[in-house]
Amino acid sequence: MGSPNVIVYARGQPCLSKFEGDEAHVQEHEGLVREAQQGDAEAFGKLYELFVDRVYRYVLLRVGNATEAEDLTQEVFLKAMQGLGAFQWRGRPFAAWLFRIAHNQVVDRLRRRQTGGGQVSLDDVLFLPSHDNVEAATLLALDQERLRDALERLTELQRQVVLHRFVGGLSLVETAAAMEKTENAIKALQHAALLSLRRLLLPEQRAKDWTER
Amino acid sequence: MNQTEFEHLLSDCLERLARGETVEDCLARYPQSAQELAPLLRVAQATLATAASLRPRPEARTAIQERLSRAWRERERKRRRALPLLGLLRPVLVALSLVLLLGFAGWGTAAASAGSLPGEPLYPVKKAGERFLLVITFSSEGKARRHVSLANERAKEMEVLVHQQKGDQDIEGLAQRVEHHTRAAVFLVAGEKTFTLATPATPEVPPAAPAPAQRQAPGPQPPPRPETTVAQGVASPSAATPTASPGVASQEGASGASPPPPGLARRERTRLEIQQLLRERARLHHTRMEQALGETPPPLRPGLRKALERSHQAFLEAVRELAEVEQKEREGLQEQLKEQDRPSQHKEGPQPRDRGPKEQPKRSSPGR
């Protein structure tokens, strides 16, 4: 059984899985959470498979360090495991709850880094990509750096909405729940964030080529 | 199109992108906004594509899985350990809940029974509650106070029944209970040396009234009971019970003397307190009963008056006997002090009567 959290290609354009943000998918999460709460390890494993990449991306683009991001991803799932018994659905999707944990972990780590004066090495930033093509890997790594640089220039709320919606793959409803905002507020925020990203990422023809690639 | 409408439109396109549609599909859906939508959708798609390429290293992924598996096993082990304990505790918790529930229910019933009268359904509950309170009171003084309180309660019930003009038999029975409780109270605080009572501390059935000679055996014979009416006795209880006056007088006379031994002091205080309560109750009881009797039909009055006299005399008798006990203990104490004074005059140092109670242990302290 393949993971639903895979990149699918429609007409040659990459996009997030068709399941993400889907109501049926939210219900699937709910079922898995209930089974995991009753001690079903396999259900928790499925949840892990569904979210591990998305959490990792979210964390990585905040901390900028692959090793640190992996470490934080582990912490997020350990926290989720500890808090699973107390988690109650009550209209708040599991994804929103999980990304809230991720957000808190990132904030803690960045705060510690600021007070501890930790340095990030270039080797750590250039993480290993998911394929073996070195040339493409270099290009992607550069793109990731540009994306991260652009994200750093956004306002905190704009950055959060981009990270939740386009990096973490949360639906509008899930993003609203995770950020504790209304759906209309998220719509306005994502519009503003995309306008800012456009200014930051598309200042020249080369950037235009990049987006049309 | 205003900004809000555009935001809804953009959001719809982003949802479609997330569901697998292309930028071109979205632009074709909204041709009038295509120019404005296109750069935003391309940026969104580029962000989605870049983010999608980010994955943890395979070895890191495996390491996280292993770490989570260990944590899960540990978590389940703890859960399994906790569950049998809960299972064992469940009967205890259920039993505790039941006890609490019954306790609250019982408390409610007992509270509801507080104002019940003989012959009413809740009266046995009231009596059971009273017996329970007696059982859980351990000190003689405490039990004595409880008996005084019960004598008061029976007297009040008599007053209500007479007022309601019902229950001749019950009224007589209540008078007997007043007698029983006042005697028990006196017995409990009288002390063994100077006072004996033929009845047990809390007999269920009131004993037959003992002969005056039996009750007064240790002390000198009190003067014969004055032939006063009940009203006179109530108006001046001490006059009705002449032995009470010497007791109080001796108490006042002894107040300037050395303090009583600590063990005696508490009992003495209780005795005086009970004496006061009983005296007050005798007066009230008589007044109320006389009022109630005035309202009853004349043919019923003789039987009720007999019961009233019995209960009233029980109060007065208890006051008198306590005063006697008081008198005897004072006399005994004075005798004891005199005897101690005599040999101490030939010795040096402070006289024993000047020695405080705290200095006494010097003689008895072991190892010194």
Side-chain angles (χ1 to χ4, degrees):
Chain A
M1 179 183 146
S3 166
N5 186 33
V6 293
I7 304 301
V8 294
Y9 289 85
R11 297 187 193 178
Q13 296 293 328
C15 64
L16 287 177
S17 161
K18 62 179 178 180
F19 296 111
E20 287 170 359
D22 207 337
E23 184 61 29
H25 206 157
V26 171
Q27 284 174 2
E28 185 197 347
H29 295 170
E30 188 177 353
L32 288 172
V33 167
R34 283 194 182 138
E35 285 168 22
Q37 283 176 328
Q38 287 162 7
D40 187 341
E42 200 180 333
F44 188 76
K46 283 180 186 169
L47 286 170
Y48 168 77
E49 284 297 326
L50 279 172
F51 287 99
V52 63
D53 289 348
R54 294 160 62 181
V55 170
Y56 172 79
R57 291 167 199 153
Y58 174 92
V59 172
L60 177 65
L61 285 173
R62 288 306 309 275
V63 299
N65 178 309
T67 309
E68 206 170 5
E70 287 159 0
D71 181 42
L72 274 176
T73 303
Q74 177 177 287
E75 287 301 312
V76 169
F77 280 95
L78 281 172
K79 288 266 178 198
M81 187 189 288
Q82 288 164 8
L84 197 65
F87 172 73
Q88 290 178 330
W89 207 261
R90 289 186 183 168
R92 192 182 188 192
F94 174 75
W97 179 71
L98 187 68
F99 275 81
R100 194 74 198 165
I101 296 174
H103 171 77
N104 291 338
Q105 290 292 312
V106 165
V107 169
D108 280 354
R109 184 62 61 100
L110 292 178
R111 195 179 291 139
R112 274 209 299 274
R113 190 189 285 174
Q114 276 176 354
T115 53
Q119 295 293 316
V120 182
S121 73
L122 189 63
D123 291 343
D124 282 337
V125 174
L126 293 173
F127 53 88
L128 286 171
S130 56
H131 51 80
D132 298 323
N133 187 324
V134 178
E135 192 181 348
T138 310
L139 188 63
L140 273 173
L142 287 173
D143 290 343
Q144 288 146 16
E145 273 307 287
R146 283 182 65 200
L147 177 60
R148 185 160 179 267
D149 184 56
L151 286 172
E152 288 300 311
R153 291 163 191 259
L154 298 179
T155 66
E156 177 59 27
L157 285 176
Q158 287 176 3
R159 182 165 50 243
Q160 283 297 321
V161 86
V162 171
L163 284 168
H164 281 102
R165 288 285 279 134
F166 311 125
V167 177
L170 269 64
S171 68
L172 188 74
V173 175
E174 288 170 335
T175 305
M179 291 180 66
E180 296 174 342
K181 302 273 180 198
T182 63
E183 288 179 35
N184 282 341
I186 298 298
K187 284 177 184 173
L189 273 172
Q190 70 187 6
H191 182 209
L194 288 172
L195 285 171
S196 299
L197 278 179
R198 180 193 170 194
R199 280 196 298 274
L200 292 163
L201 292 172
L202 306 176
E204 56 201 34
Q205 189 58 41
R206 191 179 148 207
K208 187 183 172 193
D209 296 341
W210 175 75
T211 57
E212 288 175 349
R213 194 173 57 237
Chain B
M1 182 181 289
N2 63 29
Q3 189 173 341
T4 309
E5 284 170 350
F6 183 77
E7 283 166 2
H8 287 305
L9 196 148
L10 174 66
S11 185
D12 181 62
C13 288
L14 292 171
E15 288 292 321
R16 288 177 186 282
L17 276 186
R19 280 170 163 77
E21 285 191 20
T22 63
V23 174
E24 285 68 31
D25 291 339
C26 291
L27 296 177
R29 193 178 293 274
Y30 302 108
Q32 71 281 14
S33 305
Q35 198 178 350
E36 202 177 349
L37 276 172
L40 299 179
L41 292 180
R42 288 191 198 290
V43 166
Q45 197 168 40
T47 307
L48 287 168
T50 306
S53 68
L54 307 175
R55 292 186 190 175
R57 292 169 297 175
E59 60 269 32
R61 202 185 173 93
T62 309
I64 295 172
Q65 274 175 332
E66 283 174 3
R67 174 74 185 89
L68 288 173
S69 294
R70 280 201 305 275
W72 186 269
R73 282 197 297 273
E74 182 63 24
R75 179 179 178 266
E76 285 305 298
R77 206 168 23 245
K78 280 182 186 169
R79 263 171 53 127
R80 275 197 294 274
R81 229 178 287 153
L83 282 174
L85 188 65
L86 267 179
L88 286 173
L89 282 176
R90 190 169 294 159
V92 179
L93 293 172
V94 169
L96 269 175
S97 310
L98 273 175
V99 165
L100 282 173
L101 191 70
L102 290 174
F104 280 123
W107 187 264
T109 312
S113 71
S116 61
L117 292 167
E120 290 180 358
L122 283 178
Y123 193 68
V125 178
K126 180 180 179 178
K127 294 293 292 286
E130 290 172 352
R131 275 198 295 275
F132 175 72
L133 285 174
L134 262 179
V135 168
I136 60 162
T137 307
F138 295 105
S139 71
S140 299
E141 289 85 359
K143 274 189 190 294
R145 282 198 182 89
R146 288 237 178 268
H147 278 292
V148 171
S149 166
L150 292 175
N152 287 348
E153 190 59 33
R154 299 294 89 84
K156 279 184 197 169
E157 288 166 6
M158 280 178 76
E159 292 156 16
V160 176
L161 283 180
V162 173
H163 183 70
Q164 293 176 353
Q165 298 178 13
K166 60 181 182 186
D168 285 358
Q169 288 293 323
D170 290 331
I171 290 167
E172 180 57 30
L174 287 171
Q176 283 180 16
R177 296 306 293 170
V178 170
E179 205 171 55
H180 159 68
H181 286 302
T182 51
R183 280 182 195 173
V186 170
F187 173 74
L188 283 162
V189 290
E192 291 173 1
K193 286 180 188 173
T194 56
F195 192 84
T196 54
L197 193 67
T199 54
T202 57
E204 274 306 303
V205 181
Q214 264 182 306
R215 297 197 303 270
Q216 296 155 9
Q221 290 292 322
R225 192 172 291 168
E227 299 210 352
T228 55
T229 62
V230 172
Q232 280 174 315
V234 169
S236 173
S238 56
T241 55
T243 48
S245 300
V248 173
S250 67
Q251 180 196 331
E252 283 165 0
S255 62
S258 62
L264 194 64
R266 192 178 61 173
R267 181 163 287 195
E268 213 170 64
R269 274 199 305 275
T270 309
R271 212 181 281 147
L272 291 170
E273 197 182 310
I274 287 176
Q275 222 176 322
Q276 187 60 37
L277 281 170
L278 291 170
R279 194 177 287 139
E280 182 63 18
R281 189 60 220 170
R283 190 181 61 75
L284 270 173
H285 182 55
H286 182 269
T287 311
R288 288 178 184 166
M289 284 292 279
E290 281 294 331
Q291 279 176 355
L293 275 172
E295 295 164 6
T296 53
L300 294 177
R301 283 181 196 169
L304 293 175
R305 185 168 292 282
K306 194 179 161 193
L308 161 66
E309 282 179 3
R310 186 171 184 175
S311 55
H312 182 247
Q313 281 303 324
F315 281 120
L316 295 179
E317 184 99 346
V319 171
R320 185 182 58 75
E321 284 174 351
L322 285 173
E324 263 181 36
V325 171
E326 203 63 43
Q327 172 70 6
K328 283 186 192 310
E329 287 207 346
R330 288 291 168 193
E331 284 172 2
L333 191 67
Q334 280 170 357
E335 276 299 312
Q336 207 178 347
L337 290 172
K338 275 179 196 168
E339 277 177 20
Q340 284 175 352
D341 280 349
R342 251 176 249 132
S344 69
Q345 285 169 356
H346 304 290
K347 291 178 185 174
E348 292 179 0
Q351 291 181 358
R353 65 183 302 170
D354 297 331
R355 200 181 285 157
K358 284 182 183 172
E359 291 175 61
Q360 303 254 347
K362 274 187 183 174
R363 285 182 295 175
S364 59
S365 60
R368 290 193 183 184

